[in-house]
Amino acid sequence: MAINTVGIIGAGTMGNGIAHVFARSGYRVVLRDVEQRFLDRAMDTIGKNLEREVAKSKITAQDREEALKRIEPAVGRGGLGQCDFIVEAATEKFDIKADLFRELDSICPPEVILASNTSSISITKLGALTTRPDRVIGMHFFNPVPMMKLVEVIRSLATSNETYATVKELAEKLGKTPVEVNDYPGFVSNRVLMPLLNEAMFAVMEGVATPEAVDEVFRLGMAHPMGPLTLADFIGLDVCLDIMRVLENGLGDPKYRPCPLLIKMVDAGWLGRKSGRGFYKY
Ligand code: NAD
């Protein structure tokens, strides 16, 4: 089936970036959220980010205008039934995504693939809520979407080879590099990254080193662009804790227990960059 029009659910941090890359690659985009102000903010961000690409001579001013015209933002579900492909990028709560997948399954023609950008929710579980589990898949973009090359493509237990092949090709058409991953808690990215961040927090808690020293070890010794504690503050300590809980509950291994210092900081409302205080002050 030819894919010309893509429906994107959720116009937040990720949804606006995903809309940006599809529109820039020539797809018509139907962007949906629950309130007009989220859509206005998303269109403003997309406009500015495309402007930056014009300034860097990656695209022309005309490309920018045309990309913006290809995006149709609106509240509600209108137009989703005419989309050839759906990417769900709504809030990371199972109940919200479960309702959306049931609803999308009833609105979209049966051949349409329903992809989720979830960081941690089981694709197999979302697929089982629909009548098309073979056409449900994870399409996990990275923030900021226009800049990051990776798309983790997550196959549920039921995802068909055809669905995987379609999404792989689509990611390549967006200029991204797809990597095939199976559906287990945290996929590959968070399964490996979060325990590293969590262990860095244990090192601070146990007085092995200061946050500055831990970060410097990783920047200078491992050539990481950002040390693990700076990165944790950037991601949000509440998000880090949620993901550690997903690994701990989903894999049932105590090696994934969240660092007590992380729990205490989240309890204190020290959530990292977004709250002004985490391992560092902002
Ligand atoms: P966000 O809070 O910035 O945006 C979520 C948007 O979804 C909001 O605008 C919200 O109004 C909207 N929404 C909620 N319920 C909806 C519904 N029923 N219908 C339509 N819209 C609805 O969140 P985000 O950071 O963009 O994350 C979105 C998804 O992407 C999550 O699943 C998250 O795990 C995943 N993700 C996030 C990142 C990241 O770095 N932020 C990276 C990879 C994946």
Side-chain angles (χ1 to χ4, degrees), residues 9-15 32-34 38 41 77 88-92 96-97 100 117-119 140-143:
I9 322 294
T13 308
M14 296 304 285
R32 295 292 177 263
D33 206 304
V34 289
F38 300 135
R41 191 181 54 194
R77 304 281 178 252
E88 172 278 313
T91 311
E92 185 77 346
I96 291 180
K97 294 199 193 279
L100 274 170
N117 184 53
T118 180
S119 310
H140 188 204
F141 290 86
F142 287 75
N143 186 22

Side-chain angles (χ1 to χ4, degrees), residues 197 200-201 204 210-211 214-215 227-234 279-280 282:
L197 271 47
M201 295 169 197
V204 172
T210 62
V214 172
D215 280 347
L229 298 162
T230 304
L231 180 57
D233 274 359
F234 180 73
F279 286 93
Y280 298 94
Y282 300 91

